[in-house]
Amino acid sequence: MKNLVLLGPPGAGKGTIAKRLAAEHGYLHLSTGDILRDEVTRGTELGRKAKAYMDAGELVPDELILAMVKEHVAGKDGILFDGFPRTLAQARGLEEIAPIQLVLFLELDRDTVVRRLSGRRVCPQCGALYNLVTQPPKEDERCDHCGAGLIQRDDDRPEVIARRFEVYMKDSAPLVDYYQGKGILVRLDAARPPEEVYAAALRAIRDDRP
Ligand code: AP5
């Protein structure tokens, strides 16, 4: 199975697509954000180092991220990288870890990012994603799957969202040209409804052509 990267600003819908591709097509979903949040919750050394960066909307240092990814992908394929790589140094480091056949770039403007992230809610128990506006739970702020009370991520506060977007523009947006230059980037309009973005992602994977 091929290895894919999901690239795009915070809130573009990377996690939403990745969870579905993993459930329906057997990809191994590797979200560096999810792994880091789990490390923070468990109070590990990595989690303690990462927390301050995450709360401030800054990137966790490349060497910590690369070591963490290496450990999670050893000997596997069919990996869907979500939120990684995020810097050119991470992209170059990834080349030594796993070959990438396709990069799906989810394009979304800043105003929509802010709106989406302000309405995002997550299930702390099973990880399901919701949006109070676009994908609301059936029952008020409770998970449809496991019934747990939904929470808002610490970094979904307005001032942190603004900083995350700035960091994305400075450090991660250059990856678009980088992967375009390699001929493996496909652009998707992430402002479309979730079903349409997912269908476009599947078409790109099946065609496997930029
Ligand atoms: P991370 O968890 O990776 O956050 P992110 O990249 O900012 O992305 P998000 O999870 O916020 O958004 P998403 O694109 O997955 O959107 P989602 O599907 O949830 O990283 C968090 C932090 O960890 C970073 O700031 C950094 O500190 C650190 N970190 C992580 N990786 C790192 C790395 N590689 N290097 C260094 N540091 C790293 O959707 C968002 C909302 O919109 C949801 O409510 C959803 O329901 C809704 N939605 C989704 N799609 C649609 C649609 N098409 N239409 C309408 N609503 C939609």
Side-chain angles (χ1 to χ4, degrees):
M1 251 174 119
K2 297 188 170 81
N3 298 317
L4 315 178
V5 166
L6 283 171
L7 181 65
K14 303 182 292 295
T16 301
I17 288 187
K19 281 179 200 294
R20 196 164 160 195
L21 279 174
E24 296 180 8
H25 295 276
Y27 284 94
L28 174 67
H29 178 197
L30 194 142
S31 157
T32 42
D34 285 350
I35 297 171
L36 289 168
R37 279 183 287 280
D38 180 57
E39 298 277 345
V40 171
T41 305
R42 290 188 292 116
T44 63
E45 193 188 337
L46 172 58
R48 280 196 299 277
K49 285 183 186 158
K51 187 173 181 350
Y53 294 102
M54 296 171 78
D55 286 350
E58 304 293 338
L59 293 184
V60 175
D62 289 334
E63 59 277 14
L64 292 179
I65 295 291
L66 282 165
M68 179 182 93
V69 169
K70 212 176 211 167
E71 194 183 308
H72 280 264
V73 306
K76 297 176 182 141
D77 68 357
I79 304 163
L80 192 49
F81 291 98
D82 163 8
F84 171 87
R86 255 175 154 99
T87 63
L88 285 169
Q90 289 182 15
R92 293 190 183 110
L94 174 58
E95 276 156 26
E96 324 250 299
I97 299 174
I100 297 299
Q101 283 81 21
L102 182 67
V103 176
L104 298 174
F105 170 41
L106 301 179
E107 291 188 90
L108 197 64
D109 64 275
R110 187 184 185 283
D111 287 352
T112 314
V113 163
V114 173
R115 240 191 346 268
R116 274 194 195 170
L117 291 182
S118 308
R120 173 164 62 187
R121 295 293 182 273
V122 294
C123 174
Q125 207 149 284
C126 72
L129 279 170
Y130 297 89
N131 190 285
L132 296 184
V133 181
T134 58
Q135 293 172 296
K138 292 192 187 97
E139 241 188 83
D140 193 34
E141 307 242 356
R142 300 233 143 249
C143 180
D144 294 349
H145 308 289
C146 69
L150 302 180
I151 57 164
Q152 186 167 32
R153 264 170 52 175
D154 286 346
D155 60 352
D156 280 348
R157 285 173 289 125
E159 65 281 13
V160 187
I161 294 173
R163 181 61 192 151
R164 285 164 64 200
F165 193 81
E166 276 172 23
V167 169
Y168 165 78
M169 291 305 291
K170 181 167 76 65
D171 293 321
S172 307
L175 292 175
V176 173
D177 282 349
Y178 180 78
Y179 283 120
Q180 191 149 283
K182 290 184 177 293
I184 56 171
L185 184 110
V186 173
R187 290 169 186 269
L188 303 179
D189 178 1
R192 314 283 307 166
E195 199 57 46
E196 290 182 27
V197 183
Y198 182 71
L202 267 188
R203 276 197 302 276
I205 291 169
R206 286 179 179 146
D207 284 347
D208 203 18
R209 287 187 266 112

